Amino acid sequence: DWESLAAADHLGVQKCMRDINATYRDNPALWQLDHDPHGFEWIDANDASGNVFSWIRRAADGPSVACVVNYSPMVHADYRLGLPSTGFWEEILNTDAADYGGSGVGNLGGVEAHPEPWHGMEASATITVPPLAAVWFRQQS
């Protein structure tokens, strides 16, 4: 019911879904190679102690997107994430944003990946993983 948008929590979920859909539409890495094995690569599917999954989505000719999901209610500060290349990775989605009713924990717009191999990738960045949230980073050229 549209009346339920008067409640901040309901409005926050609507804003979050709007932004997820727009981010998905605007980033071909999230959909372009769905039927090609090159379009997806796990970063880490084995962090059971942290309850975190992370993976890379790739486009045929555009920037990659790193997706990180925290299934625990704990913030993971200083979390090392393997990335396929160095440089700036813009935070394009954070489902813990205050606008969505979340705690507002994030990465201040992005992170810098350095040539320190991690998770079998050639580079890595130290990120903050918000509680019970997903964060997506887009590789900048």
Side-chain angles (χ1 to χ4, degrees):
D1 293 334
W2 289 110
E3 296 83 31
S4 65
L5 293 178
D9 289 345
H10 292 274
L11 185 60
V13 171
Q14 183 200 38
K15 288 178 181 179
C16 184
M17 291 308 302
R18 176 200 63 207
D19 291 350
I20 288 170
N21 287 330
T23 303
Y24 181 82
R25 180 192 65 232
D26 296 341
N27 289 277
L30 296 172
W31 49 265
Q32 192 176 64
L33 298 177
D34 275 350
H35 302 291
D36 182 334
H38 181 71
F40 176 91
E41 181 180 359
W42 284 110
I43 296 172
D44 188 0
N46 297 305
D47 185 3
S49 64
N51 292 316
V52 175
F53 282 124
S54 53
W55 61 91
I56 293 287
R57 291 301 310 259
R58 290 189 181 86
D61 57 0
S64 295
V65 173
C67 305
V68 183
V69 181
N70 182 1
Y71 291 94
S72 85
M74 305 296 296
V75 174
H76 296 294
D78 299 320
Y79 189 89
R80 175 124 343 244
L81 179 71
L83 292 166
S85 65
T86 60
F88 188 73
W89 288 72
E90 178 187 7
E91 185 179 79
I92 58 172
L93 182 77
N94 178 345
T95 63
D96 191 49
D99 281 355
Y100 307 148
S103 66
V105 171
N107 294 278
L108 303 174
V111 296
E112 190 73 29
H114 300 282
E116 183 179 341
W118 201 260
H119 293 127
M121 305 258 172
E122 69 179 52
S124 63
T126 301
I127 69 171
T128 298
V129 188
L132 299 170
V135 287
W136 295 350
F137 299 93
R138 179 178 50 217
Q139 180 181 21
Q140 299 298 292
S141 48

